[in-house]
């Protein structure tokens, strides 16, 4: 009998996490999703997905919720989408939600990963830059996440668990689709600055994560894949020249 792969998607109620949950449930996988709040409104629950509520910034809550998820069977795919969306101190909030929560969840699963297991942590391409509007905590926590990926890739390899990261630039998700598609100036700006000529989507990010969890990437661990249409390859001075000197 083939065992269905069981995925735990942390932050699978919104954005890219929801896109991945939707993709994998259609493929017939067992999906468990953890988030602070239950899916509601336009982003209501997806049929077949099991939802669990816990604030993973609280380490006691982590053990309990991971224990409940494991009652559904060992975890084959573990994907982290959560980011700090709370009130208050963004430094502590980002470090707790991004780093401590991810570490605590991995440790709470411990030896109860399934066969050919894979972990993917979602970071951001801005760890290589300084982005206006994003806090110091966000930059530092996401940079730390890349180190966490490499560390666990080595320490969990003996258990047959691969660990990788993805670093997207801004992407269009279900919630923001109207906004991005409705703004022609923004679309024109992305056409001009991104080598592939457009903003990426949550579904495209989900495809890369699926690859990193699947057999086609069985010899890849500890890596970080940038998913940005080539945006971060362009030297900043090229933009400055093009826009400030009004050159093509
Ligand atoms: N959106 C972009 O353009 C973009 C660009 C680059 C990188 N990224 C990265 O991609 C990832 C996904 O982004 P997104 O915009 O799709 O995220 P999002 O829409 O904000 O969704 C975040 C998910 O994480 C859950 N979550 C947040 N804090 C949590 C906590 N303490 N405990 C448990 N669950 C928690 C949220 O549910 P609750 O609110 O109910 O907890 C939600 O399901 C993030 O890590 C982000 O940094 C996003």
């Amino acid at each position: 009998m083939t065992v269905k792969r069981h995925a735990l998607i942390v932050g699978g109620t919104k954005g890219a996490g929801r896109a991945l949950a939707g993709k994998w449930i259609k493929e017939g996988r067992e999906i468990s999703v953890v988030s602070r709040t239950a899916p509601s409104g336009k982003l209501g629950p997806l049929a077949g997905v099991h939802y669990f509520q816990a604030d993973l910034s609280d380490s006691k809550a982590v053990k309990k919720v991971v224990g409940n998820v494991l009652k559904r069977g060992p975890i084959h795919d573990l994907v982290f989408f959560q980011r700090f969306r709370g009130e208050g101190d963004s430094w502590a909030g980002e470090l707790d939600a991004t780093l401590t929560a991810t570490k605590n969840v991995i440790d709470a699963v411990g030896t109860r990963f399934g066969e050919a297991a894979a972990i993917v942590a979602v970071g951001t391409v801005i760890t290589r830059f300084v982005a206006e509007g994003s806090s110091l905590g966000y930059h530092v926590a996401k940079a730390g996440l890349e180190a966490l990926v490499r560390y666990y890739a080595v320490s969990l390899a003996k258990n047959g668990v691969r660990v990788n990261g993805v670093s997207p630039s801004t992407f269009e998700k279900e919630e923001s689709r109207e906004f991005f598609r409705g703004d022609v100036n923004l679309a024109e700006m992305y056409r001009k600055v991104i080598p592939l000529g457009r903003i990426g989507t949550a579904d495209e990010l989900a495809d890369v994560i699926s690859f990193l969890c699947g057999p086609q990437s069985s010899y890849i661990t500890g890596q970080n894949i940038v998913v940005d249409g080539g945006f971060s390859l362009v030297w900043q001075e090229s933009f400055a020249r093009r826009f400030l000197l009004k050159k093509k």
Side-chain angles (χ1 to χ4, degrees), residues 15-86:
R18 181 177 162 88
L20 183 68
K23 176 181 168 66
W24 280 356
I25 204 77
K26 280 191 204 135
E27 293 173 4
R29 304 190 191 201
E30 291 291 341
I31 308 293
S32 300
V33 161
V34 176
S35 57
R36 291 169 307 167
T37 57
S40 62
K42 276 192 179 169
L43 301 178
L46 297 170
V49 173
H50 283 64
Y51 291 97
F52 298 83
Q53 272 76 59
D55 183 344
L56 298 178
S57 298
D58 169 3
S59 30
K60 281 191 199 130
V62 172
K63 276 197 181 152
K64 194 172 166 201
V65 76
V66 170
N68 287 335
V69 170
L70 282 165
K71 286 181 189 157
R72 302 193 64 222
I75 293 170
H76 299 86
D77 300 305
L78 173 56
V79 187
F80 294 97
F81 286 95
Q82 84 284 2
R83 59 162 302 185
F84 177 60
R85 291 289 193 194

Side-chain angles (χ1 to χ4, degrees), residues 10-17 34-38 54-57 80-85 97 122-125 138 142 168-173 175 205:
V10 174
T13 52
K14 297 171 185 162
V34 176
S35 57
R36 291 169 307 167
T37 57
D55 183 344
L56 298 178
S57 298
F80 294 97
F81 286 95
Q82 84 284 2
R83 59 162 302 185
F84 177 60
R85 291 289 193 194
V122 180
T124 166
V125 77
Y138 185 69
K142 289 294 198 183
S169 55
T170 304
F171 55 79
E172 181 190 287
K173 43 188 185 175
E175 304 91 299
L205 184 61

Side-chain angles (χ1 to χ4, degrees), residues 57-199:
S57 298
D58 169 3
S59 30
K60 281 191 199 130
V62 172
K63 276 197 181 152
K64 194 172 166 201
V65 76
V66 170
N68 287 335
V69 170
L70 282 165
K71 286 181 189 157
R72 302 193 64 222
I75 293 170
H76 299 86
D77 300 305
L78 173 56
V79 187
F80 294 97
F81 286 95
Q82 84 284 2
R83 59 162 302 185
F84 177 60
R85 291 289 193 194
E87 303 285 313
D89 179 2
S90 68
W91 174 258
E94 298 283 3
L95 296 188
D96 286 349
T98 297
L99 291 178
T100 312
T102 301
K103 174 197 173 295
N104 285 343
V105 171
I106 295 173
D107 291 350
V109 178
T111 54
R112 288 167 294 175
F113 282 100
E115 284 263 312
I119 300 174
V120 176
V122 180
T124 166
V125 77
I126 72 166
T127 54
R128 296 162 63 185
F129 304 94
V130 176
E132 276 174 12
S134 291
S135 69
L136 172 64
Y138 185 69
H139 285 77
V140 171
K142 289 294 198 183
L145 197 61
E146 292 173 17
L148 182 148
V149 161
R150 290 191 290 270
Y151 190 93
Y152 276 114
V154 172
S155 61
L156 294 181
K158 61 182 180 301
N159 304 346
V161 182
R162 296 183 300 108
V163 189
N164 289 291
V166 286
S167 290
S169 55
T170 304
F171 55 79
E172 181 190 287
K173 43 188 185 175
E174 201 175 325
E175 304 91 299
S176 59
R177 193 176 295 144
E178 253 176 62
F179 169 75
F180 283 115
R181 296 199 181 171
D183 188 330
V184 285
N185 293 329
L186 204 53
E188 179 59 7
M189 188 268 290
Y190 285 129
R191 193 186 66 73
K192 283 186 172 157
V193 299
I194 299 177
L196 287 182
R198 60 174 178 82
I199 190 173

